[in-house]
Amino acid sequence: MIRAFFGLTDFPFKKESEKIFVSRQISYLRKRCAHFIETQGIALLTGEVGSGKTTFIRHFLKELNHNIYKYFYLSQTIRNARAFYRLLAFELGLTPMYRLEDLTSQVKNELAEIFHKQRLQPVLVIDEAQNLSDTVLEEIRLLTNFKMDSKNYLSVFLLGHPVLKARLKLPPYAALKQRISFNYHLTGLEQDEVAPYIAHRLKEVGAKPALFTTEAMTLSFNYAKGLLRVINLLSLEGLYRAADQGKNMVDEKLIENIIQGWDNL
């Protein structure tokens, strides 16, 4: 309905965007993360649900020089060391060995193979890291301590909710915290970035940039508190309702009605 009504080439505000919107936070993160993987260790990237952590890291990984880096991505809840090494072995393209000692050696040897023979630097990304058990967090620390020729060669990104950052401040995690060389908390968009962001997402689907009133975007920002996922949902629903009512723009009243409906669920 909205594609025909607004003359769009695709559905707007989808979860994955072809080109990431470079907010001030994203611009800073790009530079810091690029420096981090050169120095290795562990990076901690936290943010509320919908703040854009996973979207950023996916685009960042795609932009890496694949002649220098080789990345691996895990996003499942992992409760024990064996499950962690099995998942990592699968990601490395291996058939996991059964005994934990053999499995651990298998993974470490493959990482060393990638580093020395393929001459690529491994980058491991673990999403939803707030769900990791203490045992797995300790294995990650030990994995980054694993050295060949006295050189650390593995970069690890831990992505998670704010509870993860609070958890790592506790005394039992002191050793792991010392391995974190970079940490950042992603909050989403600032108010003056909402209009450029919406225009960016509309341009991707061939839409006119002025489909939302200033008041509608301000209300969306205030309700979403800058969180990209909420802004996307509000914007998409606003377009559906505008098309249904034959309106050429999404105004403040439409967004207000959407918010009232959500709050009454």
Side-chain angles (χ1 to χ4, degrees):
M1 178 174 69
I2 61 172
R3 290 181 63 179
F5 185 83
F6 291 108
L8 310 180
T9 58
D10 197 358
F11 289 102
F13 302 104
K14 294 194 297 186
K15 184 177 180 180
E16 289 297 329
S17 175
E18 186 69 24
K19 186 177 180 182
I20 194 170
F21 175 75
V22 184
S23 64
R24 283 186 279 275
Q25 282 196 320
I26 294 301
S27 178
Y28 175 78
L29 263 180
R30 273 178 165 174
K31 297 172 186 175
R32 287 302 310 269
C33 289
H35 176 262
F36 160 74
I37 60 173
E38 292 179 355
T39 57
Q40 293 100 34
I42 300 175
L44 177 65
L45 179 56
T46 57
E48 299 291 347
V49 175
S51 58
K53 302 181 297 296
T54 301
T55 298
F56 163 75
I57 205 68
R58 288 190 184 279
H59 281 273
F60 177 75
L61 294 175
K62 288 179 183 178
E63 292 169 357
L64 287 179
N65 185 338
H66 294 174
N67 293 318
I68 300 175
Y69 302 101
K70 188 170 185 177
Y71 68 84
F72 307 94
Y73 181 88
L74 300 178
S75 62
Q76 300 183 40
T77 298
I78 311 170
R79 296 300 184 187
N80 57 63
R82 188 165 181 271
F84 168 66
Y85 282 109
R86 276 181 60 83
L87 286 171
L88 186 49
F90 280 125
E91 189 69 15
L92 290 166
L94 304 171
T95 300
M97 302 183 80
Y98 183 76
R99 295 176 65 248
L100 178 58
E101 294 83 356
D102 296 333
L103 181 57
T104 303
S105 296
Q106 182 187 27
V107 167
K108 289 181 177 180
N109 288 338
E110 182 62 21
L111 289 171
E113 177 93 1
I114 292 169
F115 183 76
H116 283 292
K117 294 190 177 180
Q118 297 182 28
R119 298 192 178 279
L120 295 171
Q121 183 178 313
V123 178
L124 174 61
V125 176
I126 303 178
D127 209 345
E128 301 296 341
Q130 74 279 350
N131 296 327
L132 298 176
S133 67
D134 290 351
T135 300
V136 174
L137 286 172
E138 176 62 10
E139 289 299 328
I140 292 169
R141 184 186 73 82
L142 294 173
L143 195 58
T144 57
N145 275 343
F146 175 54
K147 299 180 180 181
M148 292 295 292
D149 302 327
S150 299
K151 179 177 175 61
N152 290 329
Y153 62 86
L154 179 65
S155 300
V156 177
F157 286 91
L158 295 178
L159 277 60
H161 300 171
V163 66
L164 175 62
K165 192 169 187 176
R167 179 181 170 191
L168 295 180
K169 291 179 180 179
L170 299 175
Y173 306 101
L176 175 61
K177 187 178 178 181
Q178 289 173 5
R179 296 290 299 156
I180 297 173
S181 55
F182 171 61
N183 74 86
Y184 191 78
H185 185 73
L186 193 62
T187 58
L189 299 176
E190 296 181 29
Q191 185 166 351
D192 65 344
E193 295 175 318
V194 175
Y197 172 73
I198 289 178
H200 166 82
R201 297 305 300 268
L202 291 174
K203 184 179 179 180
E204 289 182 317
V205 295
K208 297 177 181 178
L211 290 182
F212 291 77
T213 66
T214 300
E215 294 76 14
M217 291 186 288
T218 299
L219 184 56
S220 293
F221 170 81
N222 290 337
Y223 181 78
K225 297 181 174 60
L227 295 178
L228 292 167
R229 187 176 301 170
V230 181
I231 291 172
N232 288 343
L233 291 171
L234 276 171
S235 300
L236 182 58
E237 182 63 20
L239 289 173
Y240 273 116
R241 297 197 183 194
D244 184 58
Q245 297 176 27
K247 293 184 174 182
N248 293 321
M249 291 190 73
V250 178
D251 57 26
E252 183 180 17
K253 186 63 177 177
L254 283 174
I255 298 297
E256 189 176 75
N257 289 337
I258 295 168
I259 291 172
Q260 287 176 354
W262 288 359
D263 287 345
N264 290 331
L265 287 177

